[in-house]
């Protein structure tokens, strides 16, 4: 991890960690879904489950990001990701982050075509049943949030300190080629990095001190952001 990965307190930005987690999930999901015959495809992020930031990752440490497919349905797959940080001077390693993500495979020929997911072999029937329960819960929650329409409320003029309007903020980001997948829509990890940045601005403005990301409950991706 290098200085351009740092936040203002000197450890790695939470958004950078989220971006690495999503990239790892996309790689293993895409690799798995292209082990079958038919159209080539790419795994697209549709949901992030609770993400826990257990320990900070510091500049100069090496981040080891590992991803494993833990459940597959007909058209989606669950990937669990862990981030280990390693101090290469002392050899000390620690579990810094862990997350669960859901992907769907989109055909390279037609981004709106969802491909079938090859099934995985489970270590036990219990493991498969637990995965099926997680799949049902995330699917229901994603449908519920999609049904809700939330408008952005403009901040009031001259808001008082420690009010919602005082800390409210927004970012404008011009999407470039480096932000996009080969389908020309924005990587889920890039979106999460931007979300973490603006959330950090709001939290720092409200608290008037340095802040770090501690956890993310859930993120649903309902529509693509096109380049």
């Amino acid at each position: 991890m290098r200085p351009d990965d740092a936040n203002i307190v000197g450890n790695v930005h939470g958004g950078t960690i989220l971006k690495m987690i999503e990239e790892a999930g996309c790689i293993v999901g895409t690799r798995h879904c292209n082990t079958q015959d038919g159209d080539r495809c790419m795994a697209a992020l549709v949901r992030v489950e609770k993400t826990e930031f257990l320990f900070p990752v510091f500049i100069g440490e090496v981040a080891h990001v590992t991803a494993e497919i833990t459940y597959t349905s007909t058209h989606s797959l669950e990937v669990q990701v862990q981030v280990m940080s390693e101090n290469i001077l002392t050899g000390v390693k620690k579990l810094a982050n862990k997350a669960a993500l859901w992907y769907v495979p989109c055909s390279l020929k037609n981004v709106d075509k969802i491909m079938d997911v090859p099934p995985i072999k489970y270590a036990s029937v219990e493991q498969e049943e637990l995965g099926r329960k997680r799949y049902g819960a995330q699917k229901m929650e994603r449908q519920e949030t999609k049904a809700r329409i939330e408008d952005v409320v403009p901040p009031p003029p001259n808001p008082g300190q420690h009010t919602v309007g005082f800390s409210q903020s927004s970012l404008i980001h011009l999407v470039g080629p480096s932000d996009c997948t080969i389908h020309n829509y924005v990587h889920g990890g890039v979106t999460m990095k931007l979300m973490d940045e603006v959330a950090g601005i709001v939290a720092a403005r409200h608290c008037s001190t340095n802040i770090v990301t501690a956890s993310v409950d859930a993120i649903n991706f309902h529509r693509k952001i096109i380049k």
Side-chain angles (χ1 to χ4, degrees):
M1 306 311 297
R2 299 183 173 131
D4 57 349
D5 297 314
N7 57 24
I8 58 175
V9 295
N11 51 278
V12 177
H13 199 291
T16 300
I17 300 294
L18 289 169
K19 188 172 182 288
M20 290 194 301
I21 288 172
E22 195 280 327
E23 288 172 349
C26 178
I27 289 170
V28 298
T30 299
R31 182 184 291 152
H32 176 75
C33 292
N34 282 292
T35 58
Q36 59 186 348
D37 296 330
D39 291 356
R40 299 299 87 188
C41 60
M42 183 171 180
L45 181 66
V46 294
R47 178 174 167 85
V48 179
E49 297 291 355
K50 184 175 180 63
T51 305
E52 298 178 274
F53 291 76
L54 305 173
F55 289 99
V57 180
F58 296 100
I59 302 308
E61 292 184 333
V62 174
H64 300 263
V65 185
T66 58
E68 176 186 13
I69 297 172
T70 49
Y71 183 77
T72 57
S73 69
T74 305
H75 295 115
S76 65
L77 62 158
E78 179 191 48
V79 180
Q80 296 199 20
V81 183
Q82 291 189 343
V83 181
M84 296 288 297
S85 65
E86 176 191 3
N87 185 317
I88 55 177
L89 300 180
T90 64
V92 173
K93 296 181 181 180
K94 61 181 182 289
L95 177 61
N97 306 81
K98 58 182 181 179
L101 306 92
W102 291 88
Y103 291 84
V104 296
C106 299
S107 168
L108 294 184
K109 294 181 180 179
N110 178 6
V111 68
D112 295 321
K113 179 183 178 182
I114 305 300
M115 305 293 293
D116 289 342
V117 175
I120 62 170
K121 294 181 179 179
Y122 300 95
S124 64
V125 175
E126 291 77 13
Q127 184 186 44
E128 182 178 7
E129 182 59 30
L130 287 173
R132 186 176 293 108
K133 289 180 179 179
R134 294 193 303 271
Y135 168 75
Q138 67 85 25
K139 184 177 181 180
M140 181 178 297
E141 203 278 340
R142 188 154 44 92
Q143 290 172 342
E144 289 175 352
T145 59
K146 190 174 183 179
R148 296 198 300 265
I149 300 176
E150 298 181 4
D151 296 325
V152 176
V153 180
N158 303 316
Q161 193 173 13
H162 300 307
T163 63
V164 172
F166 177 81
S167 59
Q168 186 174 344
S169 186
S170 63
L171 290 179
I172 297 176
H173 177 75
L174 178 63
V175 173
S178 63
D179 298 320
C180 296
T181 69
I182 55 179
H183 281 120
N184 273 334
Y185 61 79
V186 176
H187 272 290
V190 172
T191 303
M192 289 195 290
K193 188 172 186 294
L194 292 170
M195 293 169 68
D196 183 74
E197 287 175 359
V198 72
I201 291 171
V202 170
R205 182 178 288 160
H206 179 78
C207 297
S208 300
T209 187
N210 295 329
I211 53 89
V212 294
T213 306
S215 69
V216 179
D217 281 344
I219 304 173
N220 293 305
F221 293 78
H222 297 304
R223 297 178 182 84
K224 303 176 183 69
I225 301 174
I226 306 297
K227 173 175 174 288

